[in-house]
Amino acid sequence: PDSEIHLNAQARARIATLCRVEPQVLERALPAWMREEPCGKYGAGPVGRLMRGEQAVAAWGPACPGCTSARTGRLMSARRYLAPEQRVCPRHRYWLMYLPHTSGLSVPLARCPEVVEAHGRHVRLLRHGAVGAQAFEVARAVAGAWWQQSWPAEEMLWPNRLAATCPEGADPSWWQAAARDLITYPETVALARLLADRSLQQRTVTESGRHLPYRLGELPRLLTELADRLGRPWLARHLAADTHGPLFTWIHSCVRTRAASTRAAQKVLWRVHSAHRPRALSDLLPRPPAAGTAQPMPPPVKRLRGHSVQAERAFEQGVAHARLFHQQHGHLAVPKDATLGGYPLGTWLVNQRARHLRMPDHHFMALAALDPWWNPPWDPRWRRQWHQAAQHTRAHGPLNAASGFPDTGINLAEWLYEQCARYADLHPEQQRLMASLGIDTATAQAARPPRRSYSERFQMGLAHAAAYASQHGQLANVGQRTVHDGFPLGNWLALLRNRHHNRPPVPADRIQALNALDPWWNPPWSLYWQRHYYRARDMAAGHTLNPSNGYDDLPDAAVADWLRRQCRDYHHLHPNQQQLLTAVGLTPDTVDTARRHLTTRTGTARNRHRAKNGSLLGHRPDQRAGFDAALAHARSYAAQHGHLAVPGDTLHDGFPLGRWLARQRNQASTRARRNLPPSPQTGELAAIDPWWNPPWKSEWQRNYYRALHHIHAGKPFNIAHRVPNSHTALGSWIDRACCHYDRLHPGQQQLLTSLGITPEALAARTGIAPHWHTAIEHARSYAAQHGHLAAPHHTLHDGFALGRWLVKQRYRTRTGTSCPAAGALTAIDPWWNPPWNLRWQRAYHHARTHPHTHASRQWLNNQRAAWPRLHPDQQRLLTHIGVTG
């Protein structure tokens, strides 16, 4: 019993010869005849391999005694391969039961006519095709899960059927384990017929409201119909609280696939995971008594299929960390990247949620015992926000939705109002959770949007800035990503520092409050300089600065190098920078002393270099001819373009002028850094263009010459009225130059004066409102042409950078910054700034205008499959073009 033999080709031919039966007949009669070749090292000739175990052998059982007698003319036993529908012999009314380690058992069904009637319905179900067999496997898993649970007091059919079929003298507990498939067969067939019904599947999808279910109680009509089919009115109440198991998995897959008839959807719908399959009888029943003993051997202790000891230990470790997190926070809505004691708890929970439908029952119940909402059918971030709102309600009383949630923080108030605005589209369980906070349908309809208090936001940021300044003594070290006690201090200060010209100015009282913390929180020079200054100031407080040795005795080499650079560029610094350097001991006298030391030191190095190379850098006679040839190209380029602000990849008459000038600039910078006198070649290049090597970026210099040529060409140029337009490349550069005028090098300010950009012109410019109406006209023209404003970032419309401008307006709207164009853009296209990805919006408009292309059809099919995960407004837009889930 429970064994199978696998043969190779030679053995199969030998067997067919010995029994005088054709191989094709044996192949039809024996399912394992062509199953697999024996593996291993065997010699030539016929080879067989014996396989043991219930999983290795095809389903079998005893032959019907009546049928065997009719075929053989005598009483004898036989065994057959039996499919599920062949377990019943309707003619002689026998159940052909498989029992491990035996030849099986034929159970009379005279007292159970419902089993024979179920067999007829089963056969008719299988005539509908493969769906019938698949539905029976799912129903068998569901009935097996019910069989393992404690039966309620209302259950009377199964106990009566057990008593009617139990052999005389059999142990009732043994018979309950062995007769599982027999006793549940009528319910399994009825459930299979119900699940295979296409109309029931569609009703399930409709009743779910296109929401993935959290518990079976969300589908009362389905449970009522299921209870009626099975003859158990109490079953609907019993199943309402189920959140796991094979029936829940089937309903979840039905809603997720929208009961589609595609091959992929059917594969998902009828999949039965190993954790949901009924346990093998060989794992539940005791073995026959060993030779010489009378007591049967207990069943072997086996682990669940598909679960190793290592996997169980790993799960226990994850549950222990989840329990600790729940004790600390009260929920298991853990962020994905969260760790606890070095353990990646967030990643572990994400993996558990991804496999929740195929988890064993004890795994699922262990997590559900900690937090029933550990795996909701919505984003875990929603659960974290809800938990925050629940804590606020317990601490401060009911929420005031009619007044815009005034007693909550702005982020929580905005989230609560968003839930009220889309209350009708929330999952039923989400509505139940919101109702526990006091927000029902009537309250949600009466909710008002929260008012963002910028003064409160500023006071909160000022408090964090004061705490940071008291700890560090300054605010210059606050970077863009600095977070102080959970508050984004760096982002908050960056918004105040980088006020653009078309944003409202920071009120004077707020600037004074920040100046009281740190007068140089927003200096007119680079923050990097200010941070190095504070580092040097701290160094000077504990160490005497000695300019006579060039600060070589400082323990921090970076600070010493920075001080030497300040000495070298002292006369080019801002007066306030010079005043700050006085606090660290850098005065005109000490600067001269340090520069004399540096000159002496570099002179010694120059002599050594001269002794080694025979000439100073840039004075080698053997390079003069090449330099003259390159200089001729530079003169030709300057005569043609009026400057030498050449990009690095520029070729002039085949000569790499850009690379050559970059090399000359590097050599000049090296000499200046070593305090060497400028080479004669520098003077020759300066004679061609005085600004051939400016102390700022060459790109700025090229933009300056571009603006200069613009003016010389007689094109419109008006600083006060923003001409050229701010959304052109030249106009954008002029805007940046005007915005940062106070921070520019004196030489840059001198050059801008030649363009008419003076402090007086800037004062007139700031009094004029930004001309965004021109951009609105471009947007209106683009929408009239394309039907929407979901323009890509690189979109140009009549020379106007419409794509970049729209990106900036969306950013301002989402960050709460003033955006005067928002109302006009909404009037042009209500979905110009959707809460979802803009690529989805562009794909939607393409599918709307070109619905018959292959890409559009594929995209629309993907939207139908992902319908439960779409935003309600996305679903409405798709409904307008005839697409439903």
Side-chain angles (χ1 to χ4, degrees):
D2 305 333
S3 63
E4 187 73 86
I5 188 167
H6 295 169
L7 307 172
N8 65 357
Q10 293 89 339
R12 291 195 296 270
R14 179 71 58 86
I15 294 294
T17 302
L18 289 175
C19 66
R20 299 180 183 178
V21 179
E22 295 294 332
Q24 58 269 23
V25 177
L26 292 174
E27 183 177 351
R28 289 196 303 270
L30 304 175
W33 181 254
M34 300 285 291
R35 195 169 203 179
E36 63 180 60
E37 293 282 343
C39 58
K41 296 182 179 179
Y42 301 99
V47 174
R49 184 186 180 193
L50 192 65
M51 306 294 293
R52 296 182 183 274
E54 187 175 345
Q55 286 78 29
V57 180
W60 64 276
C64 171
C67 296
T68 304
S69 300
R71 298 287 289 272
T72 61
R74 54 182 175 169
L75 295 176
M76 60 179 301
S77 62
R79 281 179 285 175
R80 294 183 55 198
Y81 292 106
L82 296 175
E85 71 277 9
Q86 296 173 329
R87 293 285 174 187
V88 176
C89 177
R91 175 178 296 178
H92 301 99
R93 295 179 175 266
Y94 277 104
W95 176 268
L96 310 177
M97 179 182 294
Y98 162 78
L99 289 175
H101 319 298
T102 69
S103 296
L105 179 65
S106 300
V107 182
L109 299 177
R111 299 174 60 186
C112 296
E114 66 272 17
V115 176
V116 181
E117 296 173 0
H119 173 263
R121 293 191 293 269
H122 190 184
V123 172
R124 289 192 294 272
L125 173 66
L126 296 178
R127 293 173 184 168
H128 294 294
V131 174
Q134 294 169 340
F136 184 84
E137 290 301 318
V138 175
R140 183 171 178 266
V142 174
W146 294 346
W147 182 267
Q148 294 176 0
Q149 299 173 2
S150 298
W151 300 347
E154 298 91 343
E155 177 58 54
M156 302 299 295
L157 297 179
W158 283 354
N160 294 337
R161 205 173 295 159
L162 269 175
T165 57
C166 182
E168 294 184 6
D171 183 6
S173 60
W174 172 85
W175 180 245
Q176 183 172 349
R180 177 188 61 197
D181 292 342
L182 165 60
I183 304 305
T184 61
Y185 182 72
E187 287 75 18
T188 302
V189 173
L191 186 58
R193 297 181 64 198
L194 189 65
L195 299 182
D197 189 355
R198 289 285 299 170
S199 62
L200 174 91
Q201 298 174 16
Q202 296 297 334
R203 290 197 300 274
T204 301
V205 174
T206 303
E207 187 181 6
S208 68
R210 305 188 182 278
H211 290 294
L212 291 176
Y214 172 72
R215 58 167 55 92
L216 295 184
E218 300 170 18
L219 307 170
R221 289 196 295 271
L222 172 65
L223 296 184
T224 301
E225 185 172 358
L226 180 65
D228 293 342
R229 289 286 187 95
L230 298 180
R232 293 169 172 83
W234 50 266
L235 188 60
R237 184 184 71 257
H238 183 71
L239 296 178
D242 282 3
T243 58
H244 186 63
L247 180 60
F248 178 85
T249 299
W250 183 86
I251 293 176
H252 188 281
S253 302
C254 184
V255 176
R256 183 159 59 94
T257 60
R258 293 290 178 258
S261 59
T262 61
R263 180 179 301 178
Q266 292 295 304
K267 184 178 179 180
V268 173
L269 180 62
W270 302 115
R271 181 185 295 123
V272 181
H273 300 287
S274 60
H276 296 156
R277 295 183 182 277
R279 295 293 300 272
L281 291 180
S282 58
D283 298 346
L284 303 175
L285 298 179
R287 294 178 178 271
T293 62
Q295 295 296 330
M297 300 175 61
V301 179
K302 293 185 178 181
R303 60 178 171 84
L304 291 174
R305 287 170 289 178
H307 296 274
S308 64
V309 176
Q310 292 82 359
E312 291 294 328
R313 291 175 180 172
F315 181 81
E316 292 174 0
Q317 182 184 11
V319 168
H321 286 87
R323 185 177 296 108
L324 181 59
F325 184 91
H326 184 269
Q327 292 174 356
Q328 297 175 357
H329 301 86
H331 61 85
L332 287 183
V334 185
K336 181 179 180 180
D337 55 350
T339 59
L340 184 64
Y343 183 80
L345 181 60
T347 303
W348 182 80
L349 275 173
V350 167
N351 294 335
Q352 300 306 311
R353 294 187 184 104
R355 58 185 295 271
H356 75 280
L357 293 178
R358 55 182 186 272
M359 290 178 65
D361 289 341
H362 66 285
H363 284 189
F364 187 90
M365 297 308 297
L367 289 170
L370 294 178
D371 183 2
W373 303 98
W374 75 274
N375 181 40
W378 52 79
D379 196 302
R381 289 176 294 185
W382 192 95
R383 168 69 173 166
R384 290 198 292 272
Q385 291 282 0
W386 179 90
H387 189 76
Q388 183 181 354
Q391 287 182 324
H392 184 276
T393 303
R394 287 193 294 268
H396 302 90
L399 300 170
N400 189 356
S403 300
F405 309 98
D407 54 343
T408 62
I410 184 63
N411 294 332
L412 180 58
E414 289 180 348
W415 181 83
L416 287 169
Y417 177 72
E418 180 185 359
Q419 306 314 306
C420 294
R422 54 191 297 263
Y423 190 85
D425 298 320
L426 293 178
H427 193 279
E429 295 297 328
Q430 288 177 303
Q431 294 180 355
R432 191 169 69 86
L433 288 174
M434 295 301 295
S436 66
L437 300 179
I439 299 178
D440 54 10
T441 304
T443 306
Q445 292 176 352
R448 294 293 179 266
R451 295 184 179 181
R452 180 182 290 270
S453 176
Y454 290 100
S455 60
E456 293 180 3
R457 175 78 172 178
F458 178 80
Q459 293 301 326
M460 182 185 300
L462 186 64
H464 285 278
Y468 186 94
S470 64
Q471 181 180 358
H472 299 86
Q474 39 83 18
L475 293 176
N477 285 336
V478 178
Q480 180 77 24
R481 299 182 179 180
T482 301
V483 177
H484 182 264
D485 293 340
F487 180 79
L489 182 60
N491 187 36
W492 180 76
L493 271 179
L495 291 175
L496 294 175
R497 286 173 178 147
N498 299 329
R499 286 284 178 169
H500 203 263
H501 58 84
N502 58 354
R503 294 183 180 178
V506 181
D509 57 338
R510 299 184 181 181
I511 295 179
Q512 292 175 1
L514 288 169
N515 288 340
L517 300 178
D518 181 3
W520 304 109
W521 68 276
N522 185 26
W525 47 82
S526 172
L527 276 174
Y528 293 103
W529 190 96
Q530 193 67 20
R531 291 166 186 166
H532 281 90
Y533 164 75
Y534 285 124
R535 186 173 176 181
R537 186 191 64 180
D538 296 340
M539 179 69 66
H543 195 284
T544 303
L545 302 183
N546 188 4
S548 61
N549 62 359
Y551 309 107
D552 290 337
D553 58 343
L554 290 179
D556 193 335
V559 172
D561 185 62
W562 183 81
L563 288 171
R564 286 192 287 268
R565 289 200 304 272
Q566 304 317 305
C567 293
R568 187 181 65 240
D569 302 331
Y570 186 81
H571 299 294
H572 297 289
L573 296 177
H574 194 280
N576 290 333
Q577 288 175 296
Q578 296 176 356
Q579 182 180 356
L580 287 175
L581 289 174
T582 304
V584 298
L586 262 69
T587 62
D589 296 337
T590 57
V591 166
D592 292 339
T593 302
R595 296 183 70 174
R596 283 195 298 269
H597 172 77
L598 295 175
T599 303
T600 303
R601 186 172 64 177
T602 53
T604 304
R606 181 170 66 252
N607 293 333
R608 287 198 302 268
H609 191 72
R610 180 187 293 126
K612 180 178 178 181
N613 296 325
S615 64
L616 294 175
L617 181 65
H619 287 263
R620 293 179 55 178
D622 57 328
Q623 294 182 353
R624 185 64 203 186
F627 180 84
D628 290 339
L631 197 65
H633 284 284
R635 288 195 183 95
S636 175
Y637 184 92
Q640 182 177 352
H641 298 88
H643 61 86
L644 286 181
V646 181
D649 57 350
T650 299
L651 293 176
H652 183 69
D653 295 337
F655 177 75
L657 182 60
R659 284 193 306 170
W660 181 80
L661 281 173
R663 192 161 54 248
Q664 301 305 312
R665 295 188 185 100
N666 289 338
Q667 291 179 359
S669 299
T670 302
R671 295 180 65 82
R673 189 167 54 252
R674 297 177 179 177
N675 286 329
L676 298 175
S679 64
Q681 285 86 339
T682 303
E684 296 180 59
L685 286 169
I688 300 175
D689 181 3
W691 299 105
W692 74 278
N693 184 27
W696 48 83
K697 291 185 178 181
S698 298
E699 182 182 1
W700 191 96
Q701 194 68 16
R702 286 193 292 273
N703 282 314
Y704 161 74
Y705 285 117
R706 189 177 294 114
L708 191 63
H709 294 162
H710 180 92
I711 295 174
H712 290 168
K715 297 180 180 179
F717 190 88
N718 191 317
I719 298 300
H721 292 83
R722 287 183 171 83
V723 180
N725 192 283
S726 300
H727 300 287
T728 63
L730 181 58
S732 176
W733 174 80
I734 294 173
D735 285 348
R736 291 195 301 272
C738 294
C739 182
H740 304 293
Y741 185 86
D742 294 336
R743 305 183 187 181
L744 297 179
H745 190 279
Q748 290 174 297
Q749 295 179 353
Q750 179 183 352
L751 291 176
L752 290 176
T753 302
S754 63
L755 300 179
I757 302 177
T758 61
E760 294 77 12
L762 293 177
R765 176 190 179 90
T766 56
I768 298 178
H771 287 258
W772 49 269
H773 298 86
T774 304
I776 289 295
E777 293 302 324
H778 284 282
R780 185 174 288 107
S781 176
Y782 181 90
Q785 182 178 355
H786 298 86
H788 60 86
L789 286 180
H793 179 271
H794 58 274
T795 300
L796 293 175
H797 184 264
D798 295 338
F800 174 70
L802 180 62
R804 290 198 314 176
W805 183 79
L806 285 173
V807 168
K808 186 180 296 184
Q809 306 313 306
R810 294 187 185 103
Y811 176 78
R812 290 175 178 173
T813 303
R814 292 172 182 174
T815 56
T817 310
S818 174
C819 182
L825 289 173
T826 303
I828 297 173
D829 181 4
W831 302 108
W832 73 277
N833 185 27
W836 48 82
N837 195 301
L838 205 62
R839 289 193 299 269
W840 190 96
Q841 194 69 11
R842 287 196 288 269
Y844 164 77
H845 287 296
H846 182 269
R848 178 177 59 84
T849 55
H850 303 83
H852 301 296
T853 63
H854 174 72
S856 296
R857 289 196 300 269
Q858 184 176 7
W859 184 81
L860 292 173
N861 290 334
N862 293 338
Q863 304 313 303
R864 293 187 182 97
W867 189 273
R869 298 186 294 274
L870 294 180
H871 192 280
D873 291 330
Q874 290 176 299
Q875 297 176 355
R876 294 191 187 97
L877 287 175
L878 290 172
T879 305
H880 292 333
I881 60 175
V883 178
T884 57

